[in-house]
Amino acid sequence: MIQLYHCRDARSFRALWALEEMGLAYTLHTMPFPPRFRVPEYLEANPLGTIPLFVDGETRMTESSAIPHYLATRYGPTPLALAPEEPDYGLYLDWLLRSEATLTFPQTIVLRYTRLEPEERRLPQAADDYTQWFFSRLKHLTRALSDCREWLCAGRFTMADICTAYALLLAKDLGLDYKFSPEIAAYWERCAARPAFLAAKVAQAA
């Protein structure tokens, strides 16, 4: 049985959503955030203390943008992944990695220095700088969607959309969605309306 260690709306939501899209059976371990402080025994399962931890037999993974691709290729075939021979394969991989390294990373700095750190350790300047960094990176997503593209790759919804849409979910949680362009806002609505997204939201609330 696949196991996923998860916190509500944390990066692990990418894996949870992917599991729901594929209709795979799994066990969900939902914890308070950040678990390395609030669930000390979690460090025995994942010494990094980070979320997610994904376990599939002997396979253990902690990178949230890698897990959806693993699921699609390990348990496919599925249209949720692109094959190497497809023209958009490179674009697909690029969005998988860009979703985390370019779009999610700056938001984690904002989260840390506006909400997670004690008042005396919060850094408004750092939070503002990384907010602007995130906004500047959103422009590339707008450009990608501005040619009437419904999804990011190959004319269909893929794991790249799951990973990228999670960055928009985090932006909404942080109150940064006021900078969404019309293209991004419409894209977000399409993603958030998917039955598997809604099922993942229900699963994490159980």
Side-chain angles (χ1 to χ4, degrees), residues 22-44:
M22 294 197 67
L24 298 173
Y26 62 91
T27 297
L28 186 65
H29 305 278
T30 303
M31 301 174 291
F33 185 86
R36 63 182 176 275
F37 297 126
R38 302 181 68 184
V39 189
E41 60 271 25
Y42 175 60
L43 293 172
E44 297 175 14

Side-chain angles (χ1 to χ4, degrees), residues 22-126:
M22 294 197 67
L24 298 173
Y26 62 91
T27 297
L28 186 65
H29 305 278
T30 303
M31 301 174 291
F33 185 86
R36 63 182 176 275
F37 297 126
R38 302 181 68 184
V39 189
E41 60 271 25
Y42 175 60
L43 293 172
E44 297 175 14
N46 179 14
L48 286 172
T50 57
I51 286 294
L53 170 63
F54 170 87
V55 181
D56 182 17
E58 296 300 313
T59 299
R60 299 169 68 87
M61 300 177 69
T62 59
E63 289 298 326
S64 65
S65 289
I67 295 166
H69 181 64
Y70 168 86
L71 289 169
T73 52
R74 173 69 176 81
Y75 291 99
T78 169
L80 291 166
L82 269 67
E85 61 271 18
E86 293 187 75
D88 273 0
Y89 181 65
L91 184 64
Y92 165 76
L93 294 179
D94 216 32
W95 277 112
L96 281 176
L97 274 65
R98 182 184 293 125
S99 68
E100 174 64 17
T102 301
L103 293 176
T104 303
F105 167 71
Q107 294 187 84
T108 64
I109 304 299
V110 177
L111 175 64
R112 175 175 180 176
Y113 288 113
T114 62
R115 300 188 184 182
L116 299 182
E117 291 286 353
E119 287 284 350
E120 66 276 8
R121 286 182 50 82
R122 294 183 182 181
L123 300 173
Q125 184 64 59

